[in-house]
Amino acid sequence: NMLESKLTAMEADWKKVTFELEPYPNGTFKLKASEDIQQRLDEHIMKTQSILGSPFIKQAQQVDARARQWERTLTDIHDILEEWFKCQTTWAYLEPIFSSADISRALELEALRFAQVNENWTQIMQATVNSSHVLSRCQDPDLLDTLRKNNSDLDWILKKLMGFLETKRKGFPRFYFISNEELLQILSDSKSPYLVQPYLFKCFEGIKSVHFQEHDDITAMESAEGEVIQFCRKVNPADHDNLVEKWLLDVEAVMCDSIRDHLKRSREDYVNHKKR
């Protein structure tokens, strides 16, 4: 009958639908967002619900059971895609962060859990490469549960990561002036204090850069206009175990001390000049 024909047509339509994948730099893959799949899914869910709401469905129990099963199949695809893209977004955000050895050392438990999520993700995507048909891939009985577990773990990791960044900001409050991504870039290699340079103007108004000398000694600050003020003492990140929030606090202190020193010497020079 007509209702059964509609179901058959939808089933045949989905047999032609495949996932589009794109390679990811670490050797795995990502799903390409597909408006066609989403539109088709929304449209076919509505069509199936229309079939189930038809007054003629009661006269065909076999069609009714088949339509209910098809509705569950489409709903599963919807739920899987929702969890899949959520997982992909968070995973892609965290993957380069936990590629940093320094951040992985600072967040050992989180790094271990992310490694498990990353392994799950790699397996999911490899299985999708091997079988890219949406209908058959989404019939994997473990896929939805694995994605949900991944998302639960990723939410926990993200929460811990934000807490870690908050401790850095409390240690050096001027970090509140820069974004999470910028702060993570600074923290990604603690032995490279030069990573701070591009963000100094956001942390200190009027400061474009600081001057690094041999052995990473910081000896001066420079404005955007090129005015240089020598520090009254040097600051070396290694003296603070390369903890950026600590050595920047020292830089902040020496900035103030150096300005006071310059003002004091300027005043003395002025008095001496007048006497001459």
Side-chain angles (χ1 to χ4, degrees), residues 20 22 30-37 85 88:
E20 283 189 72
E22 57 184 340
K30 287 175 65 178
L31 276 187
K32 281 188 180 179
S34 172
E35 286 187 20
D36 177 61
I37 290 177
F85 279 108
Q88 177 167 286

Side-chain angles (χ1 to χ4, degrees), residues 3-203:
L3 298 180
E4 194 169 11
S5 297
K6 285 183 178 179
L7 281 172
T8 302
M10 282 191 283
E11 289 167 352
D13 198 15
W14 276 95
K15 285 177 182 176
K16 298 179 289 186
V17 183
T18 58
F19 285 120
E20 283 189 72
L21 304 170
E22 57 184 340
Y24 189 78
N26 74 345
T28 185
F29 295 86
K30 287 175 65 178
L31 276 187
K32 281 188 180 179
S34 172
E35 286 187 20
D36 177 61
I37 290 177
Q38 195 57 56
Q39 286 174 359
R40 192 188 305 256
L41 191 57
D42 293 341
E43 181 187 333
H44 284 196
I45 287 173
M46 287 180 65
K47 277 185 180 180
T48 307
Q49 288 171 345
S50 173
I51 290 170
L52 288 167
S54 169
F56 303 108
I57 196 77
K58 295 174 184 176
Q59 301 165 17
Q61 289 184 352
Q62 213 171 9
V63 177
D64 180 65
R66 187 177 159 194
R68 290 185 188 283
Q69 178 57 49
W70 181 243
E71 184 185 35
R72 282 193 293 272
T73 298
L74 294 178
T75 303
D76 284 348
I77 294 173
H78 175 275
D79 292 346
I80 285 168
L81 287 179
E82 196 172 71
E83 295 289 336
W84 205 329
F85 279 108
K86 180 186 175 188
C87 181
Q88 177 167 286
T89 300
T90 314
W91 170 82
Y93 174 70
L94 292 173
E95 195 275 332
I97 293 170
F98 284 98
S99 294
S100 159
D102 279 357
I103 291 177
S104 290
R105 273 194 297 271
L107 297 167
E108 287 186 22
L109 287 176
E110 293 79 358
L112 284 171
R113 194 173 291 192
F114 183 78
Q116 183 58 59
V117 170
N118 191 57
E119 186 179 333
N120 291 343
W121 177 263
T122 303
Q123 290 172 357
I124 286 169
M125 297 313 295
Q126 188 54 55
T128 308
V129 170
N130 297 337
S131 174
S132 61
H133 282 88
V134 174
L135 199 57
S136 59
R137 184 70 187 96
C138 291
Q139 286 172 345
D140 179 342
D142 299 322
L143 181 55
L144 184 56
D145 286 342
T146 303
L147 287 168
R148 281 176 173 160
K149 175 68 168 58
N150 271 6
N151 282 329
S152 174
D153 286 343
L154 288 170
D155 286 344
W156 180 84
I157 294 166
L158 203 54
K159 184 179 177 182
K160 292 292 184 180
L161 178 64
M162 293 303 110
F164 170 69
L165 295 183
E166 185 64 17
T167 62
K168 295 295 180 181
R169 288 188 166 112
K170 284 180 178 176
F172 183 65
R174 288 175 183 268
F175 279 154
Y176 282 108
F177 297 138
I178 65 175
S179 69
N180 289 340
E181 289 70 26
E182 290 167 334
L183 181 51
L184 285 164
Q185 181 61 38
I186 291 169
L187 298 171
S188 65
D189 187 355
S190 62
K191 291 181 181 177
S192 180
Y194 303 94
L195 292 175
V196 170
Q197 288 279 39
Y199 312 110
L200 275 178
F201 76 98
K202 292 186 177 181
C203 295

Side-chain angles (χ1 to χ4, degrees), residues 32 35 44 111 115 118 156 169 201 212 215 217 222 235 245 254 276:
K32 281 188 180 179
E35 286 187 20
H44 284 196
N118 191 57
W156 180 84
R169 288 188 166 112
F201 76 98
F212 286 93
H215 307 303
D217 286 337
E222 184 174 341
V235 174
E245 70 275 21
V254 80
R276 290 199 296 270

